[in-house]
PDB file of all heavy atoms in Angstrom:
ATOM      1  N   ILE A 617       6.463 121.460  64.542  1.00 97.00           N
ATOM      2  CA  ILE A 617       6.446 122.778  63.894  1.00 97.00           C
ATOM      3  C   ILE A 617       7.874 123.292  63.737  1.00 97.00           C
ATOM      4  O   ILE A 617       8.248 123.825  62.675  1.00 97.00           O
ATOM      5  CB  ILE A 617       5.609 123.772  64.712  1.00 97.00           C
ATOM      6  CG1 ILE A 617       4.178 123.260  64.877  1.00 97.00           C
ATOM      7  CG2 ILE A 617       5.603 125.153  64.040  1.00 97.00           C
ATOM      8  CD1 ILE A 617       3.327 124.105  65.809  1.00 97.00           C
ATOM      9  N   LEU A 618       8.689 123.129  64.774  1.00 98.00           N
ATOM     10  CA  LEU A 618      10.079 123.582  64.695  1.00 98.00           C
ATOM     11  C   LEU A 618      10.841 122.837  63.609  1.00 98.00           C
ATOM     12  O   LEU A 618      11.616 123.435  62.857  1.00 98.00           O
ATOM     13  CB  LEU A 618      10.768 123.389  66.048  1.00 98.00           C
ATOM     14  CG  LEU A 618      10.824 124.613  66.965  1.00 98.00           C
ATOM     15  CD1 LEU A 618      11.431 124.240  68.307  1.00 98.00           C
ATOM     16  CD2 LEU A 618      11.613 125.747  66.322  1.00 98.00           C
ATOM     17  N   TRP A 619      10.630 121.535  63.503  1.00 98.00           N
ATOM     18  CA  TRP A 619      11.312 120.776  62.450  1.00 98.00           C
ATOM     19  C   TRP A 619      10.824 121.197  61.069  1.00 98.00           C
ATOM     20  O   TRP A 619      11.592 121.173  60.095  1.00 98.00           O
ATOM     21  CB  TRP A 619      11.129 119.276  62.661  1.00 98.00           C
ATOM     22  CG  TRP A 619      11.963 118.750  63.793  1.00 98.00           C
ATOM     23  CD1 TRP A 619      11.528 118.220  64.969  1.00 98.00           C
ATOM     24  CD2 TRP A 619      13.398 118.720  63.857  1.00 98.00           C
ATOM     25  NE1 TRP A 619      12.592 117.862  65.768  1.00 98.00           N
ATOM     26  CE2 TRP A 619      13.748 118.159  65.115  1.00 98.00           C
ATOM     27  CE3 TRP A 619      14.412 119.120  62.978  1.00 98.00           C
ATOM     28  CZ2 TRP A 619      15.082 117.982  65.506  1.00 98.00           C
ATOM     29  CZ3 TRP A 619      15.732 118.951  63.378  1.00 98.00           C
ATOM     30  CH2 TRP A 619      16.057 118.391  64.615  1.00 98.00           C
ATOM     31  N   GLY A 620       9.555 121.620  60.971  1.00 98.00           N
ATOM     32  CA  GLY A 620       9.064 122.157  59.704  1.00 98.00           C
ATOM     33  C   GLY A 620       9.766 123.448  59.338  1.00 98.00           C
ATOM     34  O   GLY A 620      10.074 123.699  58.166  1.00 98.00           O
ATOM     35  N   ILE A 621      10.032 124.281  60.345  1.00 98.00           N
ATOM     36  CA  ILE A 621      10.778 125.524  60.109  1.00 98.00           C
ATOM     37  C   ILE A 621      12.182 125.206  59.612  1.00 98.00           C
ATOM     38  O   ILE A 621      12.685 125.824  58.669  1.00 98.00           O
ATOM     39  CB  ILE A 621      10.842 126.367  61.398  1.00 98.00           C
ATOM     40  CG1 ILE A 621       9.450 126.778  61.856  1.00 98.00           C
ATOM     41  CG2 ILE A 621      11.719 127.609  61.182  1.00 98.00           C
ATOM     42  CD1 ILE A 621       9.408 127.372  63.246  1.00 98.00           C
ATOM     43  N   VAL A 622      12.826 124.228  60.249  1.00 98.00           N
ATOM     44  CA  VAL A 622      14.173 123.826  59.840  1.00 98.00           C
ATOM     45  C   VAL A 622      14.155 123.344  58.386  1.00 98.00           C
ATOM     46  O   VAL A 622      15.032 123.692  57.591  1.00 98.00           O
ATOM     47  CB  VAL A 622      14.723 122.719  60.764  1.00 98.00           C
ATOM     48  CG1 VAL A 622      16.049 122.183  60.236  1.00 98.00           C
ATOM     49  CG2 VAL A 622      14.892 123.247  62.186  1.00 98.00           C
ATOM     50  N   ALA A 623      13.143 122.553  58.033  1.00 98.00           N
ATOM     51  CA  ALA A 623      13.043 122.031  56.667  1.00 98.00           C
ATOM     52  C   ALA A 623      12.870 123.165  55.657  1.00 98.00           C
ATOM     53  O   ALA A 623      13.519 123.176  54.593  1.00 98.00           O
ATOM     54  CB  ALA A 623      11.879 121.045  56.567  1.00 98.00           C
ATOM     55  N   ALA A 624      12.007 124.131  55.977  1.00 98.00           N
ATOM     56  CA  ALA A 624      11.781 125.254  55.056  1.00 98.00           C
ATOM     57  C   ALA A 624      13.029 126.125  54.932  1.00 98.00           C
ATOM     58  O   ALA A 624      13.418 126.523  53.823  1.00 98.00           O
ATOM     59  CB  ALA A 624      10.593 126.091  55.542  1.00 98.00           C
ATOM     60  N   ALA A 625      13.659 126.434  56.067  1.00 98.00           N
ATOM     61  CA  ALA A 625      14.881 127.238  56.030  1.00 98.00           C
ATOM     62  C   ALA A 625      15.999 126.495  55.305  1.00 98.00           C
ATOM     63  O   ALA A 625      16.791 127.096  54.574  1.00 98.00           O
ATOM     64  CB  ALA A 625      15.315 127.604  57.453  1.00 98.00           C
ATOM     65  N   GLY A 626      16.059 125.183  55.502  1.00 98.00           N
ATOM     66  CA  GLY A 626      17.069 124.390  54.809  1.00 98.00           C
ATOM     67  C   GLY A 626      16.850 124.383  53.304  1.00 98.00           C
ATOM     68  O   GLY A 626      17.802 124.492  52.523  1.00 98.00           O
ATOM     69  N   ALA A 627      15.580 124.272  52.879  1.00 98.00           N
ATOM     70  CA  ALA A 627      15.275 124.301  51.446  1.00 98.00           C
ATOM     71  C   ALA A 627      15.622 125.663  50.847  1.00 98.00           C
ATOM     72  O   ALA A 627      16.151 125.748  49.731  1.00 98.00           O
ATOM     73  CB  ALA A 627      13.798 123.984  51.222  1.00 98.00           C
ATOM     74  N   ALA A 628      15.335 126.730  51.590  1.00 98.00           N
ATOM     75  CA  ALA A 628      15.696 128.076  51.116  1.00 98.00           C
ATOM     76  C   ALA A 628      17.209 128.216  51.004  1.00 98.00           C
ATOM     77  O   ALA A 628      17.724 128.809  50.041  1.00 98.00           O
ATOM     78  CB  ALA A 628      15.137 129.136  52.069  1.00 98.00           C
ATOM     79  N   HIS A 629      17.928 127.667  51.978  1.00 98.00           N
ATOM     80  CA  HIS A 629      19.393 127.735  51.961  1.00 98.00           C
ATOM     81  C   HIS A 629      19.951 127.033  50.725  1.00 98.00           C
ATOM     82  O   HIS A 629      20.838 127.564  50.050  1.00 98.00           O
ATOM     83  CB  HIS A 629      19.940 127.094  53.232  1.00 98.00           C
ATOM     84  CG  HIS A 629      21.423 127.210  53.380  1.00 98.00           C
ATOM     85  ND1 HIS A 629      22.060 128.391  53.686  1.00 98.00           N
ATOM     86  CD2 HIS A 629      22.413 126.275  53.257  1.00 98.00           C
ATOM     87  CE1 HIS A 629      23.368 128.191  53.750  1.00 98.00           C
ATOM     88  NE2 HIS A 629      23.603 126.920  53.490  1.00 98.00           N
ATOM     89  N   VAL A 630      19.417 125.861  50.424  1.00 97.00           N
ATOM     90  CA  VAL A 630      19.870 125.116  49.240  1.00 97.00           C
ATOM     91  C   VAL A 630      19.557 125.899  47.968  1.00 97.00           C
ATOM     92  O   VAL A 630      20.390 126.004  47.060  1.00 97.00           O
ATOM     93  CB  VAL A 630      19.205 123.727  49.199  1.00 97.00           C
ATOM     94  CG1 VAL A 630      19.493 123.036  47.867  1.00 97.00           C
ATOM     95  CG2 VAL A 630      19.702 122.862  50.352  1.00 97.00           C
ATOM     96  N   ALA A 631      18.347 126.464  47.888  1.00 97.00           N
ATOM     97  CA  ALA A 631      17.957 127.229  46.698  1.00 97.00           C
ATOM     98  C   ALA A 631      18.856 128.438  46.495  1.00 97.00           C
ATOM     99  O   ALA A 631      19.229 128.768  45.361  1.00 97.00           O
ATOM    100  CB  ALA A 631      16.498 127.667  46.829  1.00 97.00           C
ATOM    101  N   LEU A 632      19.218 129.097  47.584  1.00 97.00           N
ATOM    102  CA  LEU A 632      20.037 130.309  47.491  1.00 97.00           C
ATOM    103  C   LEU A 632      21.487 130.006  47.122  1.00 97.00           C
ATOM    104  O   LEU A 632      22.225 130.916  46.724  1.00 97.00           O
ATOM    105  CB  LEU A 632      19.973 131.082  48.806  1.00 97.00           C
ATOM    106  CG  LEU A 632      18.627 131.766  49.080  1.00 97.00           C
ATOM    107  CD1 LEU A 632      18.506 132.200  50.534  1.00 97.00           C
ATOM    108  CD2 LEU A 632      18.430 132.963  48.142  1.00 97.00           C
ATOM    109  N   GLN A 633      21.901 128.755  47.251  1.00 95.00           N
ATOM    110  CA  GLN A 633      23.251 128.386  46.821  1.00 95.00           C
ATOM    111  C   GLN A 633      23.366 128.403  45.303  1.00 95.00           C
ATOM    112  O   GLN A 633      24.463 128.524  44.752  1.00 95.00           O
ATOM    113  CB  GLN A 633      23.613 126.971  47.317  1.00 95.00           C
ATOM    114  CG  GLN A 633      23.533 126.752  48.814  1.00 95.00           C
ATOM    115  CD  GLN A 633      24.471 127.628  49.592  1.00 95.00           C
ATOM    116  OE1 GLN A 633      25.677 127.621  49.380  1.00 95.00           O
ATOM    117  NE2 GLN A 633      23.909 128.416  50.509  1.00 95.00           N
ATOM    118  N   ARG A 634      22.214 128.291  44.629  1.00 94.00           N
ATOM    119  CA  ARG A 634      22.220 128.124  43.169  1.00 94.00           C
ATOM    120  C   ARG A 634      22.052 129.427  42.395  1.00 94.00           C
ATOM    121  O   ARG A 634      22.163 129.427  41.167  1.00 94.00           O
ATOM    122  CB  ARG A 634      21.100 127.157  42.759  1.00 94.00           C
ATOM    123  CG  ARG A 634      21.224 125.759  43.339  1.00 94.00           C
ATOM    124  CD  ARG A 634      20.256 124.811  42.663  1.00 94.00           C
ATOM    125  NE  ARG A 634      18.875 125.147  42.944  1.00 94.00           N
ATOM    126  CZ  ARG A 634      18.131 124.533  43.858  1.00 94.00           C
ATOM    127  NH1 ARG A 634      18.646 123.534  44.569  1.00 94.00           N
ATOM    128  NH2 ARG A 634      16.877 124.883  44.043  1.00 94.00           N
ATOM    129  N   VAL A 635      21.752 130.514  43.081  1.00 95.00           N
ATOM    130  CA  VAL A 635      21.497 131.768  42.369  1.00 95.00           C
ATOM    131  C   VAL A 635      22.730 132.656  42.377  1.00 95.00           C
ATOM    132  O   VAL A 635      23.644 132.474  43.187  1.00 95.00           O
ATOM    133  CB  VAL A 635      20.303 132.522  43.004  1.00 95.00           C
ATOM    134  CG1 VAL A 635      19.059 131.662  42.983  1.00 95.00           C
ATOM    135  CG2 VAL A 635      20.626 132.968  44.426  1.00 95.00           C
ATOM    136  N   GLU A 636      22.726 133.636  41.474  1.00 94.00           N
ATOM    137  CA  GLU A 636      23.844 134.583  41.391  1.00 94.00           C
ATOM    138  C   GLU A 636      23.934 135.362  42.705  1.00 94.00           C
ATOM    139  O   GLU A 636      22.921 135.835  43.224  1.00 94.00           O
ATOM    140  CB  GLU A 636      23.623 135.535  40.223  1.00 94.00           C
ATOM    141  CG  GLU A 636      24.749 136.532  40.022  1.00 94.00           C
ATOM    142  CD  GLU A 636      24.465 137.503  38.894  1.00 94.00           C
ATOM    143  OE1 GLU A 636      23.430 137.343  38.215  1.00 94.00           O
ATOM    144  OE2 GLU A 636      25.269 138.440  38.712  1.00 94.00           O
ATOM    145  N   PRO A 637      25.142 135.524  43.254  1.00 92.00           N
ATOM    146  CA  PRO A 637      25.297 136.195  44.557  1.00 92.00           C
ATOM    147  C   PRO A 637      25.170 137.704  44.477  1.00 92.00           C
ATOM    148  O   PRO A 637      26.127 138.445  44.707  1.00 92.00           O
ATOM    149  CB  PRO A 637      26.699 135.761  44.993  1.00 92.00           C
ATOM    150  CG  PRO A 637      27.443 135.570  43.714  1.00 92.00           C
ATOM    151  CD  PRO A 637      26.420 134.996  42.756  1.00 92.00           C
ATOM    152  N   THR A 638      23.978 138.183  44.157  1.00 95.00           N
ATOM    153  CA  THR A 638      23.714 139.626  44.149  1.00 95.00           C
ATOM    154  C   THR A 638      23.567 140.103  45.594  1.00 95.00           C
ATOM    155  O   THR A 638      23.537 139.304  46.538  1.00 95.00           O
ATOM    156  CB  THR A 638      22.418 139.924  43.388  1.00 95.00           C
ATOM    157  OG1 THR A 638      21.331 139.255  44.050  1.00 95.00           O
ATOM    158  CG2 THR A 638      22.501 139.432  41.951  1.00 95.00           C
TER     159      THR A 638
END
Side-chain angles (χ1 to χ4, degrees):
I617 302 173
L618 263 175
W619 286 115
I621 298 169
V622 173
H629 185 72
V630 171
L632 289 165
Q633 303 299 303
R634 299 192 294 260
V635 302
E636 182 183 355
T638 61

